[in-house]
Amino acid sequence: MQTVLEISHLVKTIDDFQFGPIDLTFELGTIHALIGENGAGKSTFIKLLMELMRKEDGQIRLYGKPIAAYGESWKQKIAYQPQTLIGCSSFTGLELMELMAHCYPTWNETYCKQLINMFELPLNKPLGKLSQGVQQKLANVLTLACDTDIVILDEPTAHIDIPAKQMLIDVIAEWMERGDKLMIIASHQIEDIRKLADFLIVLKKGKLLGKYEKEELTSQYKQYFLQQPLPNQPIPGEVDRKGGRIVISDQQDKTETYLTKNGFNWVQKESLGLEEVISILLKNER
């Protein structure tokens, strides 16, 4: 996979909040989900990436070149949908379409109209007169219709009803199949992450815990139900335990070798759900 976006030693201090240093690479053909608790730095990262906030250190490279080398034209290569479209309340959907078409050479009018019809969006009402859910759907449609190689969506399914949320997930999956694209999503919605993400970028208190391939990560964690009580001390590979007879491991070989050697029998072994894996990562900071 081709690396399209590189982040090197990205640093920002906001009052007593220290973000970074962050080093990351992003590849075409992938969806990356930004994961973290409230205040972890997801929005800070996106704002630094889009130069909506001045960084103190670090470099952002696009297609191998510093973004400064592109002048202002790099902004036409990334479509960004913030949580709220600030300053757009008086614009109608049609006016916003005209604005986006003017800003992005890759604007796809046919695709935009197709999505507008699919989501049954009104185009003649001011944005501020629409419900939060309809505003969110319109923002997603406008961002995807820019048809850039890179799209950043900040909480794309917030406020959206369940049927429309499933439609949007399907649309995003189909959009990714239209060519070599990179999508970065910040979301608290575990179902969105489970269905869409290829990689998880886990942040905690401004620090990068890691970039994980989703399927590898979920297969790495196993839960063992034991016949005998566990010893008081942690065992090899243990990341968590429930009560005295359930242990969770992220190093199966080490855990099973220890259990077998010391006469601990397990009656069941099962994989963990993605939400529980993420919770363990954030709790243990491993």
Side-chain angles (χ1 to χ4, degrees), residues 34-249:
L34 296 176
I35 307 297
E37 300 163 339
N38 292 330
K42 300 185 296 297
S43 293
T44 298
F45 174 74
I46 292 175
K47 288 176 181 178
L48 288 170
L49 181 59
M50 296 303 300
E51 291 201 332
L52 299 173
M53 182 183 290
R54 187 182 298 274
K55 63 182 183 293
E56 292 166 13
D57 196 9
Q59 188 175 77
I60 302 169
R61 300 177 71 87
L62 185 63
Y63 290 105
K65 298 196 308 185
I67 58 173
Y70 293 93
E72 292 294 306
S73 67
W74 70 269
K75 296 177 181 179
Q76 297 177 328
K77 301 177 185 295
I78 304 176
Y80 166 48
Q81 179 238 296
Q83 289 189 33
T84 304
L85 294 176
I86 298 174
C88 296
S89 295
S90 63
F91 288 86
T92 66
L94 281 173
E95 290 169 335
L96 289 171
M97 286 174 61
E98 292 174 2
L99 178 63
M100 299 296 270
H102 176 75
C103 292
Y104 289 92
T106 53
W107 174 259
N108 190 325
E109 185 83 8
T110 301
Y111 185 59
C112 183
K113 290 179 179 178
Q114 175 188 334
L115 295 182
I116 285 169
N117 290 333
M118 180 184 300
F119 288 100
E120 300 179 342
L121 297 174
L123 295 179
N124 296 314
K125 289 184 179 180
L127 187 70
K129 298 291 185 180
L130 304 177
S131 69
Q132 282 186 310
V134 175
Q135 288 185 35
Q136 191 75 8
K137 285 185 275 191
L138 180 59
N140 284 313
V141 165
L142 293 173
T143 305
L144 293 175
C146 293
D147 216 10
T148 51
D149 287 348
I150 304 171
V151 162
I152 301 174
L153 304 176
D154 196 350
E155 297 291 350
T157 63
H159 313 298
I160 295 180
D161 57 83
I162 293 174
K165 183 180 296 189
Q166 184 57 55
M167 286 172 57
L168 178 61
I169 289 173
D170 292 340
V171 164
I172 289 174
E174 291 171 2
W175 185 87
M176 287 295 297
E177 294 174 359
R178 299 172 70 246
D180 285 335
K181 306 283 190 180
L182 164 65
M183 184 174 287
I184 301 172
I185 297 176
S187 179
H188 288 99
Q189 306 298 318
I190 197 67
E191 191 66 10
D192 300 354
I193 297 165
R194 186 182 65 79
K195 289 182 176 180
L196 291 172
D198 301 297
F199 291 91
L200 309 183
I201 296 169
V202 185
L203 298 169
K204 183 169 184 177
K205 297 179 180 178
K207 305 301 179 186
L208 176 67
L209 298 188
K211 172 180 170 178
Y212 305 93
E213 199 279 323
K214 183 186 66 178
E215 299 303 330
E216 287 184 6
L217 183 65
T218 52
S219 65
Q220 178 182 341
Y221 286 78
K222 299 295 180 184
Q223 184 170 232
Y224 297 84
F225 297 80
L226 305 179
Q227 290 181 333
Q228 302 90 355
L230 286 159
N232 291 329
Q233 70 275 14
I235 67 174
E238 176 182 340
V239 294
D240 202 3
R241 61 174 64 186
K242 301 175 184 177
R245 300 192 184 211
I246 302 174
V247 63
I248 298 172
S249 168

Side-chain angles (χ1 to χ4, degrees), residues 20-45:
I22 301 292
D23 296 276
L24 281 169
T25 59
F26 297 86
E27 301 78 26
L28 289 176
T30 62
I31 298 179
H32 288 64
L34 296 176
I35 307 297
E37 300 163 339
N38 292 330
K42 300 185 296 297
S43 293
T44 298
F45 174 74

